[in-house]
């Protein structure tokens, strides 16, 4: 989709924001500059002290799982689970885990909630009485309900992403009934431990699963000067910083382009009820149409299937978000050969190597250019990034580790018994 088609389709019926934004804009710019300076200092210190690992390798994560299960035995009185309930409203990040559970010699039932706190309570009660173990995908109303409505012999575990921190359910969980809370990001775990009465000994860090198979590349298909950006909604994805990055990139080499894939702001009905966010996208659309550097170099791709194949058209994939828990597009793009590069949103350096990260758009443009300006540079950086993803996030290994937390057992270990 070209820029004109996007602009025609993305007109929003924004409610005007009738107040003087001048002071707010200056304050926002000052805060942004301060944020960039803070990120630059943190990255420099991490590099100086040699703290460049990102997420731990999977062999270390496996050791952590064994230690976690050993340390919590006395506190988890459960039999070997044979009947497992998986409860949640959204299983898009749990497909590998569900496949792993279904491959085991256990019975699995899905309690699919219709929202963060909406469900068929009768079915949930029936499943709570039937289950040996319950796994809650996302720590929302499902965890609050199951920690209060299951017998003490039922093992209850949950997985926390990031969206949960802005929901009201963390205050409603009966934490003493949780055998374990899995976090996909350590910065999310630290925040929850700071704000809620969750025993840190009942928490475990296991990353999201990433499919690590490659899609075959056709000869001449990839263009190293194409930069991929997935998902411009909501505002925290910061398409404005992606535009800043592209403008800086094109000052280095005018052949660079930005491909934006995903739903448009106008595709979301709730956008009109958020006038500030709505106006933000109107301003970004105006900027993109009127900028010589952007109007011919930004291309919009619709949301749909074939994302893995799409990554293989690109030399790099970027994230310019204000915050993320994981941001799948970076490791998924890396598996398909797109070099991952990102602004250092809070927690990014706990997950990804410093070589992936930059403090501000100008610096991000520089590391994109350095890693994609030649075939040799791209090949080296692409290989290193792919190896990192496989060694940290491989779906086959990660899904087994998650199911060990769900069942309370490691491998062929017998039943866990408690007091």
């Amino acid at each position: 989709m070209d820029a004109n088609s996007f602009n025609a389709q993305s007109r929003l019926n924004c409610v005007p924001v009738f107040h003087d934004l001048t002071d707010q804009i200056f304050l926002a710019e000052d805060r942004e500059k301060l944020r960039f300076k803070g990120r630059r200092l943190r990255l420099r210190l991490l590099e100086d002290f040699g703290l460049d690992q990102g997420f731990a390798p999977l062999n270390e994560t496996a050791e952590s799982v064994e230690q976690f299960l050993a340390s919590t035995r006395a506190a988890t009185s459960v039999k070997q689970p044979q009947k497992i309930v998986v409860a949640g409203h959204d299983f898009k990040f749990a497909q590998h885990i569900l496949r792993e559970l279904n491959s085991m010699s256990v019975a699995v039932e899905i309690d699919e909630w219709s929202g963060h706190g909406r469900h068929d309570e009768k079915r949930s009660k029936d499943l709570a009485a039937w289950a040996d173990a319950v796994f809650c995908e996302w720590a929302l109303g499902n965890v609050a309900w199951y920690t209060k409505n299951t017998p003490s012999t039922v093992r209850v575990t949950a997985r926390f992403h990031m969206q949960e921190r802005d929901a009201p359910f963390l205050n409603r969980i009966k934490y003493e009934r949780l055998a374990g809370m899995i976090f996909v990001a350590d910065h999310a775990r630290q925040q929850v431990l700071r704000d809620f009465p969750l025993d840190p000994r009942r928490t475990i860090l296991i990353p999201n699963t990433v499919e690590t198979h490659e899609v075959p590349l056709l000869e001449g298909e990839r263009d190293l000067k194409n930069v991929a950006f997935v998902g411009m909604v909501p505002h925290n994805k910061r398409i404005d910083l992606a535009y800043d990055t592209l403008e800086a990139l094109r000052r280095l080499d005018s052949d660079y382009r930005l491909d934006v894939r995903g739903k448009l702001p106008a595709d979301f009905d709730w956008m009109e009820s958020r006038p500030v966010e709505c106006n933000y996208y109107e301003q970004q659309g105006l900027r993109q149409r009127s900028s010589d550097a952007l109007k011919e170099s930004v291309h919009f791709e619709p949301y749909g299937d074939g994302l893995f194949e799409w990554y293989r058209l690109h030399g790099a994939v970027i994230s310019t978000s204000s915050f993320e828990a994981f941001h799948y597009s970076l490791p998924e793009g890396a598996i398909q050969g797109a070099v991952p590069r990102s602004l250092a949103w809070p927690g990014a350096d706990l997950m990804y190597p410093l070589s992936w990260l930059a403090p501000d758009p100008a610096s991000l443009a520089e590391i994109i250019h350095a890693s994609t300006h030649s075939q040799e540079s791209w090949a080296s950086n692409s290989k290193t990034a792919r190896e990192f993803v496989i060694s940290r996030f491989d779906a086959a290994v990660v899904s087994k580790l998650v199911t060990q937390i769900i069942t309370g057992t490691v491998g062929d270990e017998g039943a866990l018994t408690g007091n």
Side-chain angles (χ1 to χ4, degrees), residues 313-379:
L313 304 177
H314 298 83
V317 57
I318 64 170
S319 168
T320 57
S321 299
S322 297
F323 61 87
E324 293 283 353
F326 190 74
H327 212 171
Y328 260 101
S329 61
L330 293 173
E332 286 185 339
I335 288 297
Q336 304 307 324
V339 175
R341 295 293 182 259
S342 176
L343 291 182
W345 35 264
D349 54 69
L350 300 175
M351 311 191 74
Y352 300 124
L354 297 182
S355 62
W356 293 21
L357 307 177
D360 53 63
S363 302
L364 181 57
E366 290 175 1
I367 65 172
I368 294 168
H369 181 260
S371 59
T372 58
H373 72 280
S374 70
Q375 183 70 24
E376 293 74 21
S377 178
W378 166 81

Side-chain angles (χ1 to χ4, degrees), residues 7 283-295:
N7 291 321
Q283 291 301 312
Q284 295 313 309
L286 177 62
R287 172 188 177 184
Q288 189 270 326
R289 293 191 298 273
S290 59
S291 167
D292 291 337
L294 298 178
K295 62 184 177 183

Side-chain angles (χ1 to χ4, degrees), residues 77-154:
S77 178
V78 297
K79 62 182 179 180
Q80 174 73 40
Q82 297 298 319
K83 296 175 290 185
I84 299 175
V85 171
V86 179
H89 75 292
D90 181 354
F91 301 108
K92 64 175 175 286
F93 298 138
Q95 292 305 305
H96 294 106
I97 297 165
L98 290 172
R99 283 200 287 270
E100 181 65 23
L101 285 171
N102 285 318
S103 73
M104 300 164 60
S105 299
V106 297
V108 179
E109 289 286 343
I110 304 296
D111 183 7
E112 186 166 2
W113 287 41
S114 57
H116 291 182
R118 299 187 303 276
H119 65 126
D120 181 340
E121 190 163 7
K122 180 182 183 305
R123 173 164 171 77
S124 296
K125 286 181 177 179
D126 290 343
L127 291 174
W130 170 83
D132 297 322
V134 176
F135 171 60
C136 296
E137 171 69 342
W138 304 88
L140 294 162
N142 51 349
V143 187
W145 192 90
Y146 272 102
T147 55
K148 294 176 181 176
N149 292 279
T150 49
S152 61
T153 54
V154 175

Side-chain angles (χ1 to χ4, degrees), residues 242-252 287 291 293-294 365:
Y243 288 165
D244 289 348
T245 302
L246 179 60
E247 287 176 336
L249 255 179
R250 286 175 61 82
R251 287 193 290 270
L252 298 171
R287 172 188 177 184
S291 167
L294 298 178

